Amino acid sequence: MSDATLHDAKREPDDFVVSVADSIESFIVAVTEVSRGDEPDSAVPFLLLEISQLILTGGRLGAHEDFLPDERYEPDVGPEPDVDELRERFATLLDPVDVYSEVFDPYVPRSEPVACRISDDLADIITDLRHGMAHYRNGRVSEALWWWQFSYLSNWGPTASACLRALQSLVAHVRLDQPLDELDGLDTDAVGTEEQLEEEAGRVMAAEIGGTAARLRSL
């Protein structure tokens, strides 16, 4: 690879991994705090900022040469922490703008949009990041870097990018005074055609956004 692509490889490994781990830990703490709903007026812009910063960290992992774990098989990190409570808190906090439509892979010809939820995205991202953090805290640095890089490319990176687009679009719709099409109630367990999504999007939900839109306008 070129020097430009692997610029992070020239840094001290400890410096790089500490920077990545600090960024991931900061994201987990900040997003968990937002989910408590203590400052609902700031929830969407805070999430926009936190995910933007996380994607920068993911980009550094993606641009780096492949990390290789020390062991052939992944050591057991124990049971995964439950994220259902966090997911539910975000679903409540973001209702009725939690659901959005997304094209899963832009390089698949004629890809059909699917229904997603920001609350699901955040829970999935944190699950991936915590898994790597468990390795990091147990001193398995190479395993943590491998996992964060692999899961960035395979799961949390695309998920974070989709979630960021949804949040940015939400802020843009409100700031530019453009009504949102209704996606609340869209079936997130099924893939729909564009026509089906348009039928379900149907009418304007500006009135239903109510307090959420009003709070965003004041930012």
Side-chain angles (χ1 to χ4, degrees), residues 59-71:
R60 295 174 64 202
L61 287 165
H64 204 291
E65 62 189 352
D66 289 348
F67 291 105
L68 298 176
D70 292 334
E71 302 180 41

Side-chain angles (χ1 to χ4, degrees), residues 40-41 43-45 48 94-98 118 165-181 204-219:
D41 295 4
V44 169
L48 182 69
L94 297 172
D95 181 64
V97 295
D98 191 23
I118 297 173
R165 285 195 295 274
L167 291 166
Q168 191 277 334
S169 179
L170 174 59
V171 172
H173 274 287
V174 173
R175 295 275 177 83
L176 300 177
D177 197 20
Q178 297 173 343
L180 288 169
D181 291 335
V204 173
M205 67 180 292
E208 297 184 20
I209 295 177
T212 302
R215 290 192 295 268
L216 282 173
R217 289 180 194 279
S218 66
L219 297 176

